[in-house]
C-alpha cells in the first residue's frame, strides 16, 4: 500500500497560522510514502525557505515530495510561462512531481514544441488535474487529454475526485 498525505488536510491549522512544515512534523514518519504541499499555503517571501526545510524533512523520513501549484497550466496566451521557474524550484528541492490545474488549451496560441522541450529536459514529473469549473467537465478533460496524448505532450494526469462534478 502507498500512503500519500496532502497538506490540504491541515487547512484549518494553516488558516490559524501554522506552517505546512509544522503540520508535517506531526505525522508518523514510518507510515507515509509521499507528501504533497500546496503552493497557496506558503507564506509569500518564505516559500523557498520552507520548501528547503520540508525537503530536508522528506529526506530524513524517506518521503517523496510533490507540489500542488495553484495555477492553471494553459491559458489564452498559451502555456503558463512560470512553469520553467517552478521546475527549477522542484529540481533544487528534490520535488518529484508538480501538479497544475488544466486551464483552457488554446491550440492557436500554445507553443507545444517549447512546452515539450521544457518537459523533456527535466526529471520532474508534471501533471494536470481536473478543476471544479467548466474546464474540468468529463467532456472537456477527455478532449484535452486526448489532444495532449495524440500530440505526445509529456504531461501526466491526476484525478481529483473532490473536483469532479
Amino acid at each position: 500500500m502507498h500512503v500519500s498525505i496532502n497538506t490540504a488536510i491541515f487547512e484549518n491549522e494553516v488558516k490559524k497560522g501554522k506552517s505546512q512544515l509544522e503540520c508535517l512534523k506531526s505525522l508518523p514518519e514510518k507510515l507515509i510514502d509521499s507528501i504533497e504541499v500546496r503552493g497557496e499555503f506558503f507564506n509569500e517571501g518564505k516559500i523557498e525557505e520552507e520548501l528547503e526545510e520540508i525537503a530536508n524533512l522528506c529526506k530524513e523520513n524517506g518521503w517523496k515530495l510533490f507540489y500542488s501549484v495553484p495555477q492553471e497550466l494553459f491559458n489564452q496566451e498559451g502555456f503558463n510561462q512560470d512553469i520553467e521557474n517552478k521546475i527549477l524550484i522542484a529540481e533544487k528541492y528534490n520535488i518529484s512531481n508538480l501538479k497544475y490545474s488544466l486551464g483552457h488549451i488554446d491550440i492557436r496560441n500554445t507553443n507545444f514544441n517549447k512546452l515539450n522541450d521544457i518537459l523533456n529536459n527535466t526529471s520532474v514529473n508534471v501533471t494536470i488535474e481536473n478543476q471544479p469549473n467548466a474546464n474540468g467537465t468529463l467532456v472537456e478533460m477527455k478532449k484535452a487529454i486526448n489532444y495532449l496524448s495524440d500530440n505526445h505532450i509529456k504531461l501526466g494526469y491526476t484525478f481529483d475526485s473532490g473536483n469532479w462534478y
Side-chain angles (χ1 to χ4, degrees):
M1 178 168 48
H2 181 88
V3 178
S4 185
I5 301 292
N6 186 315
T7 57
I9 66 168
F10 299 115
E11 183 175 8
N12 290 334
E13 289 92 331
V14 170
K15 284 180 178 177
K16 292 176 185 173
K18 270 186 143 179
S19 70
Q20 290 180 95
L21 176 65
E22 291 172 305
C23 294
L24 291 169
K25 285 181 176 180
S26 69
L27 295 174
E29 61 277 345
K30 302 296 181 214
L31 302 176
I32 297 166
D33 299 295
S34 58
I35 59 141
E36 180 179 315
V37 293
R38 304 197 59 81
E40 68 271 22
F41 284 1
F42 288 113
N43 291 321
E44 283 299 317
K46 294 187 176 185
I47 294 172
E48 289 204 44
E49 178 183 322
E50 189 173 352
L51 269 175
E52 182 176 9
E53 293 182 55
I54 290 171
N56 289 335
L57 181 67
C58 288
K59 185 176 181 180
E60 290 169 15
N61 291 302
W63 300 338
K64 286 185 178 179
L65 178 55
F66 301 161
Y67 187 122
S68 178
V69 180
Q71 300 170 2
E72 293 181 336
L73 185 56
F74 295 100
N75 54 47
Q76 292 177 345
E77 289 82 42
F79 68 89
N80 186 331
Q81 298 299 304
D82 191 46
I83 190 171
E84 292 179 274
N85 181 52
K86 290 296 188 276
I87 287 173
L88 289 174
I89 290 170
E91 291 170 344
K92 183 176 180 180
Y93 297 110
N94 202 29
I95 297 168
S96 57
N97 192 77
L98 293 173
K99 179 180 73 178
Y100 283 83
S101 294
L102 172 65
H104 175 72
I105 299 174
D106 185 337
I107 59 174
R108 296 164 298 174
N109 294 332
T110 303
N111 184 340
F112 289 105
N113 289 330
K114 182 177 179 189
L115 177 59
N116 243 3
D117 285 344
I118 293 167
L119 297 171
N120 285 322
N121 286 301
T122 183
S123 61
V124 177
N125 185 42
V126 179
T127 64
I128 53 171
E129 74 172 337
N130 52 303
Q131 301 167 265
N133 62 26
N135 297 326
T137 64
L138 180 58
V139 170
E140 289 302 313
M141 287 304 300
K142 185 176 178 185
K143 189 166 47 172
I145 290 170
N146 286 338
Y147 180 84
L148 294 167
S149 178
D150 290 348
N151 288 281
H152 309 286
I153 309 302
K154 187 185 167 193
L155 289 169
Y157 174 66
T158 300
F159 175 74
D160 188 332
S161 62
N163 288 347
W164 208 253
Y165 67 101

